[in-house]
Amino acid sequence: MESKKYFIVKDRIKNFLYLFVFLMVVWFLLTSSFNSQMVFAGILVSLVISFFISEEYIAIGLPPVSLKRIFYFILYIFVLFKEIIKANLDVAYRVIHPGMPIKPGIVVIKTNLKKNIAKLILANSITLTPGTFTLDIIGDKLLIHWIYVKSSDLKEATEIVGERFEKFLRVIFE
């Protein structure tokens, strides 16, 4: 029992430090000032926010912060934006094409993510890419409305729709 408390305290301190550094970087990027008053204000605001967020961070089921997870999160953001742009171009093509090549349908994909927060972010990432919309999450399956169903096979649909995001989310959240 004591070792579990030690790890919770250790994770909270680690989360606090990562969040504090992250918030300070954001503060300096937003203010672009190293004036002593601005630095003091940034430290104070970052300390207060980090203190409260680091406590809630673990409570909602998020994993401890690490450099590897931060790196994969940054990669994930780039992949998400790339996929959003690709999907926007695809939907625009389908809208302006005279034949309007759409084959809408609902497919089921399977996720290997265990944490609900990771499944939620996967579902939202799929919904953010135009042409797909997550209808429901049922256990380890997601119901997806797809503007152009390329495959209704569970394995193929999972690879096409979900795997591009899930491989990053596995590292970030599991």
Side-chain angles (χ1 to χ4, degrees):
M1 186 69 174
E2 284 296 317
S3 65
K4 186 177 180 181
K5 285 183 184 179
Y6 169 76
F7 285 115
I8 291 172
V9 170
K10 182 181 171 189
D11 287 343
R12 185 170 177 209
I13 291 170
K14 194 160 80 168
N15 286 342
F16 174 84
L17 291 174
Y18 279 121
L19 289 168
F20 175 74
V21 170
F22 174 75
L23 290 171
M24 284 300 300
V25 169
V26 170
W27 180 269
F28 288 127
L29 289 173
L30 292 174
T31 62
S32 302
S33 173
F34 291 99
N35 174 325
S36 62
Q37 290 177 334
M38 294 301 278
V39 170
F40 179 73
I43 289 171
L44 184 63
V45 169
S46 297
L47 279 172
V48 170
I49 292 173
S50 296
F51 179 76
F52 288 109
I53 291 178
S54 67
E55 189 172 315
E56 296 300 318
Y57 189 83
I58 295 174
I60 62 173
L62 294 171
V65 178
S66 69
L67 290 176
K68 181 179 179 182
R69 286 186 171 121
I70 291 170
F71 175 73
Y72 272 83
F73 177 74
I74 292 168
L75 285 176
Y76 175 73
I77 296 298
F78 283 112
V79 168
L80 178 62
F81 282 130
K82 181 189 97 174
E83 293 297 329
I84 288 171
I85 291 168
K86 279 177 33 182
N88 270 297
L89 294 172
D90 181 64
V91 170
Y93 163 77
R94 294 179 193 290
V95 168
I96 63 173
H97 189 279
M100 202 169 206
I102 63 171
K103 190 170 95 177
I106 296 175
V107 295
V108 176
I109 67 168
K110 186 177 186 315
T111 180
N112 293 317
L113 299 172
K114 302 295 180 225
K115 297 192 177 199
N116 288 336
I117 189 80
K119 292 176 191 177
L120 175 71
I121 291 175
L122 174 62
N124 285 330
S125 299
I126 291 169
T127 297
L128 280 171
T129 55
T132 54
F133 181 80
T134 305
L135 301 169
D136 201 1
I137 302 171
I138 304 168
D140 64 347
K141 297 198 175 35
L142 284 79
L143 267 52
I144 310 292
H145 180 271
W146 200 357
I147 196 170
Y148 191 86
V149 177
K150 295 176 183 165
S151 174
S152 58
D153 177 63
L154 178 76
K155 188 175 181 181
E156 283 183 58
T158 300
E159 287 175 13
I160 296 169
V161 177
E163 186 57 33
R164 58 191 172 179
F165 301 123
E166 191 171 330
K167 61 185 173 185
F168 294 99
L169 294 175
R170 254 185 250 118
V171 175
I172 296 168
F173 290 101
E174 305 292 319

